[in-house]
């Protein structure tokens, strides 16, 4: 029996692909590939598999008349033109919840790494420099002030972990969440002015582009640290590099970048910076859970069953 055809965007995670291949004929999308071959395939494509970093413009959706679902392996979906999908009656799904713990864990790991200079300490020992002297002192984390930019599921999970370090917690978000009991600031700059560690975990996309700019970094100040586990687009990377070079802020720990997988060379050798390769959800357990959920959404969407986790815009559009 022939399996239904679906299209996979470049770099879709292997665990997700593996699950899909058992049930579908999976075609890899190549934007520079054979146009005629794509035109022949396009009318048969009923599902589109994407990752959190995939870019799916409305123009691509328009070429897929039989498309029934876009299933994203990732909680973030800022590269998908969701309104264009809704206009075509095509739902978009993502993988919330299953990665919340991992992303929050990595946010705390980055706070500790940059404050306690863990990468430098490791190098100090490995490179045989310990006998020659001690490392410069670090910055105490327990009891410090944490500010969280974006107070959704992951932001709240970061707050719970920070509370275990006796940190005082404040946040900024589109609206105040009085039930949280934490201090709310209406702007990122106001929040930054009142914290030691500013952790960014807000969705990417146009609405948050360069939300963390020179003004916010200036407010964070020369003793403040920036941690980004959201999307590179949320931070004005040039302003950040300038702030780090000139001591406007104390340091930064970054898991995401504006032009991944490329990281500005200016950041590579800065001693007050910790860099990780967009790995917040990268554990065996979580990536498997994401693959399972993304696959289940694909199956539901292509067979007309209720979707497990449609994105909020689709839930709102169709009351699902
Ligand atoms: C993944 C992510 O790296 O969930 C997200 O939004 O950015 C990450 O968990 C990504 O989705 C892998 O494609």
């Amino acid at each position: 029996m022939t399996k239904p055809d679906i299209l996979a965007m470049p770099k879709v995670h292997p665990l997700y692909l593996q699950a899909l291949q058992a049930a579908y004929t999976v075609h890899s999308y190549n934007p520079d590939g054979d146009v005629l071959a794509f035109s022949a395939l396009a009318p048969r494509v009923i599902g589109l598999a994407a990752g959190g970093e995939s870019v799916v413009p409305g123009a691509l959706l328009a070429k897929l008349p039989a498309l029934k679902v876009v299933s994203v392996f990732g909680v973030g979906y800022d590269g998908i033109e969701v309104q264009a999908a809704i206009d075509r009656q095509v739902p978009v799904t993502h993988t919330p919840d299953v990665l919340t713990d991992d992303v929050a864990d990595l946010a705390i790991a980055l706070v500790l790494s940059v404050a306690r200079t863990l990468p430098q300490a490791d190098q100090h020992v490995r490179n045989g420099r310990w006998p020659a002297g001690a490392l410069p002192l670090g910055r105490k984390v327990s009891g410090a002030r944490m500010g969280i930019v974006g107070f959704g599921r992951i932001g709240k999970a970061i707050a719970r972990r920070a509370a275990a370090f006796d940190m005082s917690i404040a946040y900024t978000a589109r609206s105040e969440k009085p039930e949280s009991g934490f201090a709310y600031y209406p702007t990122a700059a106001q929040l930054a002015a009142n914290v030691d560690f500013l952790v960014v975990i807000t969705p990417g996309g146009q609405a948050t582009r360069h939300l963390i700019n020179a003004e916010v970094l200036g407010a964070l100040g020369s003793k403040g640290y920036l941690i980004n586990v959201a999307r590179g687009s949320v931070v004005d990377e040039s302003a950040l590099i300038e702030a780090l070079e000139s001591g406007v802020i104390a340091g930064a720990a970054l898991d995401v970048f504006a032009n991944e997988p490329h990281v500005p060379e200016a950041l590579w050798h800065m001693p007050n910076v910790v860099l990780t390769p967009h790995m917040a959800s990268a554990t065996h357990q979580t990536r498997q859970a994401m693959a399972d959920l993304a696959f289940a959404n694909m199956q539901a969407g292509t067979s007309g069953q209720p979707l497990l986790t449609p994105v909020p815009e689709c839930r709102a559009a169709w009351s699902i």
Side-chain angles (χ1 to χ4, degrees), residues 51-53 73-76 99 231 278 281 287 290:
E53 296 99 313
F73 172 98
V75 67
L99 46 66
R231 284 287 181 267
H278 197 151
S281 66
R287 286 283 164 89
M290 291 165 69

Side-chain angles (χ1 to χ4, degrees), residues 93-106:
T93 65
H94 65 152
T95 60
D97 299 318
V98 292
L99 46 66
T100 297
D101 284 340
D102 269 5
V103 180
D105 289 353
L106 193 86

